[in-house]
Amino acid sequence: AKAAGRNGFSFFTPSLQVEAQRRQQVGNSLRHALRDNHFEAYYQPIIALDSGRAVKAEALLRWRHPEQGVLLPGDFIAVAEEIGMIGDIGNLVFQQTLELLEAWPGGQVSINISPRQFISGDCRHWLQEIAARQLPAGCLAVEITEGLLLDERPLVVNTLLGFHQAGVEVSIDDFGTGYSAMSYLKKFNIDYLKIDRSFIAGLARDNTDHAIAEAVIAMAHKLGMRVIAEGVETEAQRQLLLEAGCDYAQGYLFARPMPRQDFIDFIRSSQCRVAAGG
Ligand code: C2E
Ligand code: CA
Ligand code: CA
Ligand code: CA
């Protein structure tokens, strides 16, 4: 490292350059993907644990890459945020979700909003569109993270209030993984806590995870919130959550995220099963 120069700058230059180049490449292909309509919202059912019915869904972004196949948000969201494209991509998810809701009366879809996207204010004009379309209250929810609620800037507070007034419900995503003091729960109208997958994973074998899940459910109910368990993969987890009084669950045990038409088929066939008394 000494050979790199007095201040060590040249030592870091090559990897920084490679990283910058990679980001620029991803950025360019993101712009092309937006132009060519390669972004698509998938939908994962959220199940009411008492009835077993899919009553809600979460929109999850996918990039249908012509060469690399279906890419996950972890591969590209961070770059999209950095180059200021998250607003455009988020608007696509919003528009596609409105289309899905037309085919799913009585359903509710929640949309993820990253802190950067929220703070840039890109999602604020959704409120106008919701009002213009006279969407029924409760058909949309937004998923935000705990960290955002520690931000007391008027933009954050007012946008959250705007969502609430427009009948858009608010979920805290990945609950329990932030470093928050939970004081925000007093200040905002939160409808759902989503227990992070990391706690659900240990539910059946780790007493601590089980205790945390039970405590979160009890606290949420006392504060008038409902609870969604994320990443439910086993029947044992479903059973424990049901016993603990958890309201909703989402995970591979029930269904993976799927394209819009598959989701509509899924909802229709599961309603038929219920109607048939199954
Ligand atoms: P998240 O909001 O915590 O979403 C849940 C993630 O868990 C999704 O990953 C989902 O596919 C995955 N998952 C669902 N059930 C299971 C399960 O049973 N087991 C396991 N192992 N995983 C499960 P995905 O789709 O890769 O999304 C990753 C993250 O990307 C999301 O985490 C969310 O933070 C972000 N994201 C997704 N779509 C959007 C979007 O439209 N806008 C923004 N800003 N962020 C998004
Ligand atoms: Ca989420
Ligand atoms: Ca989550
Ligand atoms: Ca997560």
Side-chain angles (χ1 to χ4, degrees):
K2 274 271 157 61
R6 209 160 30 115
N7 55 15
F9 180 72
S10 60
F11 178 72
F12 292 104
T13 305
S15 68
L16 278 181
Q17 237 164 29
V18 169
E19 179 58 14
Q21 271 166 8
R22 194 193 67 86
R23 284 184 179 258
Q24 197 167 37
Q25 278 164 5
V26 177
N28 284 339
S29 38
L30 278 171
R31 278 183 269 271
H32 290 147
L34 191 64
R35 185 195 62 199
D36 299 339
N37 286 322
H38 288 165
F39 290 112
E40 185 179 338
Y42 275 33
Y43 301 93
Q44 184 177 35
I46 297 175
I47 280 52
L49 277 165
D50 55 2
S51 69
R53 294 185 63 172
V55 291
K56 303 175 186 293
E58 177 177 7
L60 292 160
L61 182 63
R62 298 293 181 263
W63 175 0
R64 284 188 183 277
H65 195 285
E67 286 115 43
Q68 295 175 51
V70 178
L71 300 182
L72 298 172
D75 297 327
F76 60 88
I77 288 249
V79 181
E81 290 186 330
E82 268 167 49
I83 64 174
M85 261 184 68
I86 191 68
D88 289 335
I89 299 177
N91 287 339
L92 268 177
V93 173
F94 177 69
Q95 294 300 338
Q96 292 182 11
T97 296
L98 294 186
E99 281 169 36
L100 170 67
L101 284 169
E102 283 174 18
W104 189 27
Q108 181 188 65
V109 180
S110 62
I111 298 178
N112 291 284
I113 304 180
S114 73
R116 262 228 222 173
Q117 183 182 0
F118 199 101
I119 285 157
S120 72
D122 284 331
C123 53
R124 258 187 312 177
H125 68 266
W126 298 359
L127 295 172
Q128 284 144 28
E129 180 133 8
I130 290 165
R133 291 197 183 215
Q134 299 186 297
L135 292 175
C139 70
L140 281 171
V142 290
E143 301 197 3
I144 57 175
T145 49
E146 290 174 285
L148 183 72
L149 297 175
L150 301 179
D151 190 326
E152 292 179 339
R153 277 178 287 178
L155 173 73
V156 174
V157 179
N158 292 337
T159 308
L160 275 171
L161 195 63
F163 279 130
H164 182 68
Q165 286 164 346
V168 177
E169 297 194 303
V170 177
S171 303
I172 304 299
D173 210 349
D174 306 334
F175 185 76
T177 60
Y179 20 44
S180 101
M182 289 196 280
S183 54
Y184 65 80
L185 292 175
K186 289 194 293 191
K187 280 189 272 183
F188 298 100
N189 280 294
I190 306 297
D191 299 284
Y192 304 96
L193 297 184
K194 297 192 77 170
I195 305 181
D196 191 64
R197 190 166 78 220
S198 56
F199 299 112
I200 305 302
L203 202 59
R205 50 183 159 75
D206 183 323
N207 287 335
T208 313
D209 285 345
H210 192 218
I212 290 172
E214 279 187 328
V216 168
I217 293 163
M219 177 197 68
H221 287 168
K222 279 193 183 132
L223 295 175
M225 299 181 287
R226 283 154 291 162
V227 181
I228 303 171
E230 299 190 313
V232 177
E233 295 184 352
T234 68
E235 175 54 28
Q237 290 164 353
R238 187 193 69 83
Q239 193 60 44
L240 287 168
L241 287 163
L242 185 65
E243 282 163 16
C246 185
D247 305 279
Y248 305 96
Q250 174 183 5
Y252 297 164
L253 175 67
F254 309 102
R256 290 186 176 249
M258 55 191 119
R260 176 189 131 100
Q261 191 55 50
D262 292 358
F263 178 78
I264 292 170
D265 294 344
F266 176 92
I267 291 293
R268 295 218 169 111
S269 69
S270 61
Q271 277 168 352
C272 286
R273 263 206 315 277
V274 171

